[in-house]
């Protein structure tokens, strides 16, 4: 039998942590002395303690650690660990984007934003449209794009897909979102239907990289519009020139952001 201090040194889990795991039913001692309350562990418990240590280093919640240890099937244990690793990878991706955005925001001399004033003509597209919560945009987007691809087939030379984002999505966390693909003959299939996009004047810039960092570019474009044009009511437009459908390299992704404006005069600022 190993006293708790010895077991702590062997497993790199502090005595305080071992006591907490005992109280939580995660790692119970082999024996607790009834008179002194001292905890004793067996050598057979060392691998279990080391597994717990590794899982906690990966920030696996205690409840999930308990589920992993309680799974008798190796495949089930592996699936539970893989599920958490997917969450970790997503968190790391969000952290990477946040760090990149902060560097852009804190740069002493950020590069000037390249903006084009563009007149977009009226056009009919194949689209999926719905009321969406801001937190659900990613999931909704993936489903809508899959439906468009199923209805229209592989990408063509008709042009890149795009989206129209209602002001309510930004202001209230809920609003109308339209995702489209250009098509000479838009079909009706499931949620996909022909939609006529009205003509509009846009101030357009291109966001480079992952879409999670697009808020910085949105802010820069909005500042440009305030200084150089008159903003008008209407959805913000995006076009996905290069995205996950084209390459796994997020650094190569390019998203056009178009802010509705009323152009004053005929000369570009």
């Amino acid at each position: 039998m190993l006293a708790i201090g010895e077991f702590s040194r062997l497993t790199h889990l502090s005595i305080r942590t071992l006591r907490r795991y005992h109280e939580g039913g995660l790692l119970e001692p082999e024996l607790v002395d009834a008179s002194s309350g001292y905890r004793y562990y067996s050598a057979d418990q060392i691998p279990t303690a080391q597994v717990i240590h590794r899982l906690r280093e990966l920030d696996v919640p205690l409840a999930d650690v308990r589920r992993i240890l309680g799974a008798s099937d190796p495949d089930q244990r592996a699936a539970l660990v893989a599920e958490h690793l997917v969450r970790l990878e997503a968190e790391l991706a969000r952290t990477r984007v946040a760090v990149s955005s902060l560097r852009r925001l804190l740069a002493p001399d950020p590069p000037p934003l390249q903006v084009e004033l563009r007149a977009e003509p009226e056009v009919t597209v194949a689209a999926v449209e719905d009321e969406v919560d801001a937190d659900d945009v990613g999931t909704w987007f993936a489903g809508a794009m899959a439906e468009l691809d199923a209805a229209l087939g592989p990408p063509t030379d008709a042009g890149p897909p795009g989206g129209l984002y209602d002001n309510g999505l930004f202001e209230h966390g809920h609003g109308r979102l339209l995702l489209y693909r250009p098509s000479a003959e838009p079909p009706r299939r499931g949620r996909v239907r022909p939609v006529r996009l009205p003509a509009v004047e846009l101030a357009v810039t291109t966001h480079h990289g992952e879409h999670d960092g697009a808020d910085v570019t949105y802010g820069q474009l909005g500042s440009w519009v305030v200084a150089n044009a008159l903003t008008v009511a209407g959805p913000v437009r995006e076009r996905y020139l290069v995205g996950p459908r084209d390459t796994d390299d997020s650094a190569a992704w390019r998203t056009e952001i178009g802010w509705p404006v009323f152009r004053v005069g005929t000369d570009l600022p």
Side-chain angles (χ1 to χ4, degrees):
M1 301 297 292
L2 300 167
I4 191 170
E6 295 174 294
F7 195 74
S8 171
R9 290 191 294 274
L10 289 170
T11 59
H12 290 194
L13 292 170
S14 71
I15 291 175
R16 181 179 179 182
T17 297
L18 287 169
R19 287 172 177 161
R20 189 171 72 250
Y21 289 172
H22 177 200
E23 293 165 359
L26 190 62
L27 181 61
E28 297 188 5
E30 189 75 17
L31 173 68
V32 178
D33 188 283
S35 58
S36 65
Y38 289 168
R39 296 169 172 86
Y40 295 91
Y41 296 82
S42 72
D44 291 340
Q45 291 180 288
I46 292 174
T48 300
Q50 291 173 330
V51 168
I52 295 172
H53 188 197
R54 289 291 181 269
L55 292 173
R56 293 298 289 153
E57 283 184 327
L58 292 173
D59 293 325
V60 178
L62 289 178
D64 288 347
V65 173
R66 191 176 292 107
R67 289 170 58 207
I68 291 169
L69 294 177
S72 57
D73 179 21
D75 290 339
Q76 184 183 3
R77 287 199 298 270
L80 290 169
V81 173
E83 179 183 316
H84 181 73
L85 292 178
V86 169
R87 290 198 299 267
L88 273 182
E89 289 170 352
E91 290 172 7
L92 287 172
R94 287 193 295 270
T95 300
R96 185 174 62 251
V97 171
V99 169
S100 176
S101 297
L102 278 173
R103 285 175 174 161
R104 287 178 62 193
L105 289 168
L106 298 175
D109 297 304
L113 191 70
Q114 301 298 314
V115 179
E116 171 192 355
L117 288 175
R118 182 186 302 167
E120 291 284 357
E122 182 181 82
V123 62
T124 299
V125 296
V128 175
E129 186 175 12
D130 207 347
E131 295 282 338
V132 182
D133 288 333
D135 291 341
D136 298 331
V137 166
T139 302
W140 184 91
F141 186 103
M145 184 62 75
E147 287 191 50
L148 286 167
D149 288 345
L152 296 173
T156 66
D157 295 334
L164 276 67
Y165 292 78
D166 183 64
N167 292 339
L169 279 165
F170 306 100
E171 298 170 5
H172 308 297
H174 181 87
R176 200 143 195 88
L177 173 53
L178 181 148
L179 186 66
Y180 72 85
R181 275 184 55 182
S183 173
E185 297 181 0
R188 289 184 179 272
R189 177 177 172 183
R191 293 190 298 168
V192 178
R193 61 186 181 86
V195 172
R196 187 176 297 276
L197 303 182
V200 65
E201 295 272 352
L202 298 173
V204 181
T205 193
T206 302
H207 170 72
H208 295 226
E210 298 189 46
H211 200 268
D212 284 347
D215 59 321
V216 177
T217 306
Y218 263 78
Q220 293 173 329
L221 179 59
S223 297
W224 187 95
V225 169
V226 168
N228 296 281
L230 295 177
T231 185
V232 299
V236 175
R237 297 195 182 192
E238 293 185 354
R239 286 207 308 166
Y240 310 107
L241 307 181
V242 182
R245 301 160 78 242
D246 307 300
T247 174
D248 292 331
D249 181 9
S250 60
W253 297 351
R254 299 291 182 268
T255 303
E256 275 191 353
I257 301 171
W259 197 294
V261 296
F262 178 78
R263 193 188 312 203
V264 179
T266 56
D267 297 330
L268 293 179

